[in-house]
Amino acid sequence: MANSWPGVIRAYENYLPFSASTEVVTLNEGNTPLIRAGRLAEAIAPGSGLRLFLKYEGLNPTGSFKDRGMTAAVTQAVRDGAHAIICASTGNTAASAAAYAARAGIRCLVLVPEGKIALGKLAACLAYGAEVIAIDGSFDDGLDMVRTIVDRDAIARHPISLVNSINPWRLQGQKTAAFEICDQLGGAAPDWHCLPVGNAGNITACWMGFREYDEHTGTGLPRLLGGQASGAAPIVQGEVVAHPETIATAIRIGNPARWREALDALDESGGIITAVDDEHILASWRMLAAKEGIFVEPASATGLAALKQQIDCGEIDPTDKTAVCVLTGHGLKDPDAAVAQAKPPRTLPATLDALERYLANT
Ligand SMILES: *Cc1c(COP(=O)(O)O)cnc(C)c1O
């Protein structure tokens, strides 16, 4: 069959604020698999009948869910006559912005925290031809800078569009993940929707999507479970974290742009937000790869780590429940983290003898 998936804007055009005549900037993002994870369910909630699904967003065109929002943000930027887009980013927003800007033939500037961006993300930004500016500050510093600069007069005359998740079009695109999940579950929302929370754009967008879909098609609503890293958990602690630290660099954020919206979404859904330490994020990250063959970047395992934690402490009863964990980004984004966590490969002489001895002894 011909591949007819047109990208998220056209696939869900009745739910998105674009007209049929809009020139859409797309890389055919979305339509990512929802993978049943039976072995993992058995490992975290043995005998409970938990139906666990993994929404593998790492299979988007630039390797993260950010592409869903970026198709909408860049489509709108072009419609507004922008000749450039700008963002601050821990890496994935930058890579996605760079790709969609290339696709649209416009300029792309990205501010990243120096030395804190994972290798695969930096490589992609450079390959797509973005102007990468490393700042000796955090993501939050970069976001303050780009927010201010786009308001300056000089810029207003040469429109630069800000494509961080404070851009409302990003959320419009990102809400389509909720639509897909309901469609893939046969027209029903899961009981629990679990995901990592950094800037809180995704949890806000997903909740918007679930609500809209429920209104139009009666899917019901999930409860939201958000996971933050313990060293970068402002929403859990109720205060800005000045120096966020975590191996999960995609959620290394101390002052989330969508803080209030996330609290509303959690409240409305009867949800939970919790902090998980790096050790448990990595344990979940390892389980995803070793038990299900799914390689993600560390931040992406935070939803699963949060689910396991809440089951272990009795806050979530997994009995006959359906849970979806959103795996936000691909493992190849952060090869350094993967290699640092692994045992180094075995070295053998290039002889059959050596291989035979090895097999006999293991
Ligand atoms: C952006 C991102 C997140 C966090 O999403 P927010 O919308 O900032 O909460 C989590 N994981 C990955 C891989 C990301 O790229």
Side-chain angles (χ1 to χ4, degrees):
M1 204 176 85
N3 179 5
S4 59
W5 180 262
V8 299
I9 292 180
R10 286 288 173 250
Y12 292 106
E13 62 192 353
N14 294 342
Y15 295 88
L16 288 162
F18 296 101
S19 67
S21 62
T22 306
E23 286 264 359
V24 172
V25 182
T26 180
L27 287 161
N28 306 68
E29 62 294 313
N31 197 24
T32 56
L34 186 71
I35 302 168
R36 179 85 186 250
R39 298 186 66 216
L40 202 47
E42 218 17 58
I44 67 167
S48 69
L50 171 69
R51 291 178 299 274
L52 179 63
F53 293 89
L54 307 169
K55 182 66 170 159
Y56 195 10
E57 290 288 278
L59 296 188
N60 274 296
T62 78
S64 83
F65 76 86
K66 299 298 198 300
D67 295 339
R68 293 181 185 275
M70 206 53 73
T71 181
V74 174
T75 294
Q76 182 60 25
V78 170
R79 203 154 69 157
D80 289 341
H83 294 290
I85 58 174
I86 191 169
C87 65
S89 174
T90 62
N92 282 335
T93 294
S96 185
Y100 284 80
R103 189 87 170 150
I106 60 177
R107 191 175 167 200
C108 179
L109 298 102
V110 303
L111 269 67
V112 298
E114 189 178 17
K116 295 289 183 184
I117 170 173
L119 186 64
K121 306 177 188 183
L122 179 62
C125 289
L126 296 170
Y128 294 128
E131 295 159 59
V132 179
I133 299 160
I135 57 166
D136 60 350
S138 66
F139 164 82
D140 303 282
D141 297 328
L143 184 58
D144 284 344
M145 287 168 70
V146 296
R147 276 176 117 147
T148 310
I149 205 86
V150 294
D151 287 337
R152 293 267 158 96
D153 282 358
I155 304 288
R157 277 181 269 119
H158 305 279
I160 297 189
S161 186
L162 180 59
V163 296
N164 276 105
S165 58
I166 45 180
N167 177 321
W169 300 92
R170 288 271 308 276
L171 302 193
Q172 289 296 322
Q174 281 175 209
K175 74 184 180 185
T176 60
F179 302 163
E180 283 180 23
I181 288 168
C182 292
D183 288 345
Q184 289 167 317
L185 289 174
D191 296 302
W192 285 97
H193 180 74
C194 317
L195 75 175
V197 175
N199 245 319
N202 207 28
I203 193 169
T204 302
C206 285
W207 183 240
M208 191 192 325
F210 282 120
R211 273 189 8 228
E212 288 180 14
Y213 230 41
D214 179 48
E215 224 166 84
H216 287 91
T217 69
T219 51
L221 292 168
R223 296 175 73 182
L224 300 175
L225 173 60
Q228 297 205 287
S230 298
I235 301 180
V236 177
Q237 289 163 13
E239 59 187 14
V240 171
V241 175
H243 300 289
E245 259 321 325
T246 169
I247 186 161
T249 52
I251 52 171
R252 188 173 168 274
I253 289 169
N255 188 10
R258 297 283 181 181
W259 192 327
R260 173 163 322 162
E261 293 92 327
L263 288 177
D264 289 346
L266 286 159
D267 186 41
E268 288 170 35
S269 79
I272 299 174
I273 185 147
T274 186
V276 218
D277 55 36
D278 280 8
E279 188 192 320
H280 290 111
I281 292 174
L282 287 172
S284 288
W285 171 83
R286 254 180 241 111
M287 273 202 287
L288 283 164
K291 290 213 179 290
E292 300 290 358
I294 300 178
F295 181 34
V296 299
E297 65 168 289
S300 302
T302 310
L304 176 65
L307 178 62
K308 181 174 186 308
Q309 179 204 65
Q310 293 297 300
I311 290 173
D312 287 348
C313 75
E315 288 294 321
I316 290 183
D317 173 9
T319 310
D320 297 325
K321 296 292 193 312
T322 300
V324 170
C325 291
V326 184
L327 308 181
T328 45
H330 201 283
L332 292 174
K333 291 279 190 175
D334 196 350
D336 293 324
V339 172
Q341 292 306 315
K343 274 192 289 186
R346 175 78 63 115
T347 307
L348 290 180
T351 65
L352 272 181
D353 256 13
L355 184 57
E356 225 168 13
R357 257 198 316 275
Y358 172 76
L359 287 170
N361 295 321
T362 49

